[in-house]
Amino acid sequence: MRLDAMYQEIILDHYRNPHHKGLRDPYDAEAHHINPTCGDEVTLRVALTAAGGEVDGSATVADVSYDSMGCSISQASASIMTDLLIGKTVDEGMRVLEEFTELMHSKGQGEPDEDVLEDAVAFAGVSKYPARIKCALLAWMAWKDATVKSLATHEEEAS
């Protein structure tokens, strides 16, 4: 099986059988993002668990849930993202986000780190199509926004 075909299968599998889909409580923050180019939408919730009493970069991403509609790329990307981020610290999650963003801007020339991105390497081919990059990044940007909101809320509450 060619690598491209295997990557397509990973994307289609996550599209057909999404992980962590459905908005759940409790959550710390929510973000809603829309891709105006194609109409994809995602509402994403994040719950963080304090490490050592403070919710900061060392906090654990306890849960990420989402509700979305859109193309197979945006749907699969949200599913894979949740698998990658739940259980990691916020700092680790931000590093995964950076790696994925770098892959999406590589124009098909990037060498993704499979140890970091796992199934998200399946989106390497998407980076060749500028119109689809926003689809793949939609949930990731919503996660980043919700996480930043959650950290800010916890910081305000602590002071």
Side-chain angles (χ1 to χ4, degrees):
M1 179 184 280
R2 288 189 28 231
L3 194 57
D4 287 345
M6 184 180 79
Y7 285 169
Q8 285 179 332
E9 274 305 308
I10 291 170
I11 290 171
L12 288 174
D13 184 50
H14 276 273
Y15 173 65
R16 291 180 186 128
N17 306 294
H19 301 181
H20 308 283
K21 190 167 185 177
L23 295 173
R24 290 187 294 277
D25 291 318
Y27 65 96
D28 298 324
E30 181 177 281
H32 180 78
H33 281 219
I34 299 170
N35 180 351
T37 314
C38 63
D40 291 353
E41 290 188 43
V42 65
T43 300
L44 183 138
R45 292 179 175 172
V46 66
L48 304 178
T49 303
E54 270 191 59
V55 175
D56 57 13
S58 65
T60 300
V61 179
D63 192 29
V64 179
S65 63
Y66 66 96
D67 188 29
S68 59
M69 56 181 263
C71 69
S72 61
I73 291 171
S74 70
Q75 301 292 300
S77 185
S79 175
I80 290 171
M81 178 198 68
T82 60
D83 286 347
L84 283 171
L85 299 179
I86 294 172
K88 288 195 171 29
T89 67
V90 170
D91 288 342
E92 290 168 336
M94 291 297 179
R95 283 193 289 280
V96 175
L97 168 65
E98 287 172 22
E99 185 78 22
F100 187 73
T101 303
E102 193 174 298
L103 175 64
M104 288 298 92
H105 291 94
S106 71
K107 299 180 181 171
Q109 304 302 311
E111 286 294 324
D113 186 337
E114 290 185 46
D115 293 333
V116 174
L117 292 177
E118 299 176 19
D119 278 354
V121 299
F123 294 93
V126 172
S127 69
K128 298 175 191 173
Y129 306 98
R132 304 313 303 255
I133 292 169
K134 286 183 180 180
C135 300
L137 285 172
L138 186 66
W140 293 82
M141 295 300 104
W143 175 78
K144 181 181 178 183
D145 284 354
T147 300
V148 168
K149 283 181 193 176
S150 177
L151 292 171
T153 299
H154 284 288
E155 190 175 304
E156 286 174 18
E157 290 171 358
S159 48

